[in-house]
Amino acid sequence: MRVYQLRRALLGFALAWLCVLGNVESVSAKKSKKYRNNKSPSQDREFWAKRSECEPIVERDTSCVTAIDKENCILKCVSDACYKDVYGSDQLEDGEVDTVRGKSFKNCVKTEIKEKEQAISKIEMESARDTQ
């Protein structure tokens, strides 16, 4: 009888351990899938780096007084071309949260970053080819 209880306890422990391992693997699989869906993590980092660079500049700017003025100034600083494209004649207003245009702006900036990276890569390849 005692062997039976020991075997049953070990089996329960093994099953519990397998369940824990299964959950850990499924969590890590979900996490890796999340990062696989993000096709441009370097462009995201570059976007937020640009925004971080612009924030102190705008803080010193006396023409950007209110919070919404500062936000508009930061967006212009990040990319004037994208700001004109997305917000052009209809700037953000006080209290307005426009996620659709915010996403469009971010995608526009990421496209600019990608094009810049491609141009740099092309120039590097051409210069490497010229030196050979």
Side-chain angles (χ1 to χ4, degrees), residues 41-89:
S42 66
Q43 289 147 7
D44 277 339
R45 281 191 299 275
E46 182 82 19
F47 171 81
W48 289 110
K50 277 186 168 188
R51 187 174 170 92
S52 295
E53 289 171 11
C54 289
E55 287 172 351
I57 295 168
V58 169
E59 284 297 321
R60 292 188 300 265
D61 189 353
T62 56
S63 66
C64 303
V65 181
T66 65
I68 200 65
D69 286 342
K70 288 180 182 180
E71 182 63 21
N72 283 321
C73 290
I74 289 170
L75 296 176
K76 286 178 190 174
C77 175
V78 169
S79 173
D80 194 45
C82 289
Y83 183 83
K84 287 177 183 172
D85 238 17
V86 176
Y87 295 101
S89 61

Side-chain angles (χ1 to χ4, degrees), residues 20-54:
V20 167
L21 287 178
N23 285 337
V24 169
E25 287 178 17
S26 67
V27 168
S28 65
K30 287 178 187 175
K31 202 174 214 180
S32 66
K33 184 179 179 185
K34 174 185 171 188
Y35 292 115
R36 272 186 284 151
N37 288 340
N38 189 355
K39 293 178 176 62
S40 58
S42 66
Q43 289 147 7
D44 277 339
R45 281 191 299 275
E46 182 82 19
F47 171 81
W48 289 110
K50 277 186 168 188
R51 187 174 170 92
S52 295
E53 289 171 11
C54 289

